[in-house]
Amino acid sequence: DNAMAYVRVASGYQPGGPNLAIAGVPPTFKSDTLTNYEAGVKSQFFDDRVLLDADVFYISWDNIQLLSGGSGFSFGANGGTAKSEGFEANASIRPIDGLSIDGTFSYVDAVLTEDVPILSGLKGDWLPNIPRYSGSLRATYTYPLSGDWAVDFGAGLRMVGKRYSDVNHAPDSRSIPGYSALDLNIGVSNDRYTLRLFAKNAT
C-alpha cells in the first residue's frame, strides 16, 4: 500500500535552427532526438515519516545539440550520438513533529558515444556542464507561535561535482571545479502571509 514501482519509456526531440553566417560555421544545426528508459520506486514508511524515491535511467541521444565555444563565439552543432545513464534518489525523514530532514543524490555519466570532429570531441568525452555527482541535504524545523502563526528555521547544503565547460577535448574546454554552498533561512507565516529572511551561500 505504501510503495510503487514503475518502468517508463519516453521519447522527445528539440527542433534545429540557424547559426550566424560566419565562415567555418555550419549555417544550421539539425533537430536532435532522445529516448529515455527509466525504472524506479516511490515509497513511504513509518506512518509517512520516511519517504524514499529512487530511479535508474538510460538516455540515448541521436544528433545531440551542443554549443561550440571556438573562435570567440558560440554556435550550435550536432554531436552525433551520446548517452546519459545514472542513478537518482530523494529521501525525506520526519523524526519528530516539526522537523524535516531532506536529502538528494545523483550520479550521471553523460558522454559522447562517437567522435565529433567539428567540436574536437572524442568518443567518451563528458557532455558540457553536467557533473558526475551532485546532492543536497536540508533540515527545517517549524515551531508554532500564538494563534495560527508559526516560525521555521532552515539550513541546507548544496554540493555539485566537477564538470567541463565543453566536451573535454575541445580546445577551449575548461574544467569547472566542484563546490558546496550553505543556505540559511528563517521565517514566520500563517495561512495567508509569509515573511522570510534567507541567505544563499552564507559562507
Side-chain angles (χ1 to χ4, degrees):
D1 292 338
N2 295 318
M4 178 187 73
Y6 69 92
V7 175
R8 179 171 62 189
V9 179
S11 62
Y13 82 101
Q14 296 182 102
N19 281 316
L20 296 173
I22 297 175
V25 173
T28 62
F29 55 94
K30 301 177 182 177
S31 62
D32 64 354
T33 59
L34 65 80
T35 304
N36 176 50
Y37 306 89
E38 183 178 329
V41 61
K42 299 177 182 292
S43 55
Q44 304 177 40
F45 308 99
F46 307 116
D47 296 326
D48 298 340
R49 288 187 178 272
V50 178
L51 287 76
L52 176 64
D53 300 342
D55 68 81
V56 292
F57 63 89
Y58 179 87
I59 299 173
S60 175
W61 256 294
D62 188 29
N63 278 334
I64 183 172
Q65 293 178 9
L66 296 170
L67 284 177
S68 173
S71 304
F73 58 89
S74 296
F75 61 89
N78 294 100
T81 58
K83 70 172 183 177
S84 177
E85 56 188 349
F87 167 82
E88 300 170 313
N90 306 297
S92 181
I93 303 173
R94 294 171 175 81
I96 59 174
D97 291 343
L99 176 61
S100 177
I101 301 172
D102 305 288
T104 67
F105 175 79
S106 69
Y107 167 79
V108 181
D109 182 28
V111 297
L112 294 174
T113 53
E114 66 176 78
D115 294 347
V116 186
I118 192 172
L119 301 177
S120 301
L122 301 178
K123 181 179 179 180
D125 276 6
W126 288 18
L127 297 183
N129 294 308
I130 301 178
R132 284 258 170 102
Y133 300 96
S134 62
S136 66
L137 183 64
R138 180 169 184 79
T140 304
Y141 183 69
T142 303
Y143 184 79
L145 299 174
S146 61
D148 59 351
W149 287 88
V151 60
D152 63 86
F153 308 89
L157 181 65
R158 295 175 284 124
M159 295 156 285
V160 177
K162 181 183 74 171
R163 57 208 188 281
Y164 287 93
S165 62
D166 205 336
V167 292
N168 41 298
H169 279 95
D172 294 327
S173 182
R174 297 292 181 268
S175 176
I176 303 172
Y179 68 89
S180 298
L182 177 67
D183 303 329
L184 303 172
N185 70 271
I186 182 173
V188 292
S189 60
N190 64 9
D191 291 340
R192 295 191 63 183
Y193 303 103
T194 298
L195 176 64
R196 174 161 286 114
L197 179 67
F198 65 89
K200 290 191 174 183
N201 192 16
T203 57

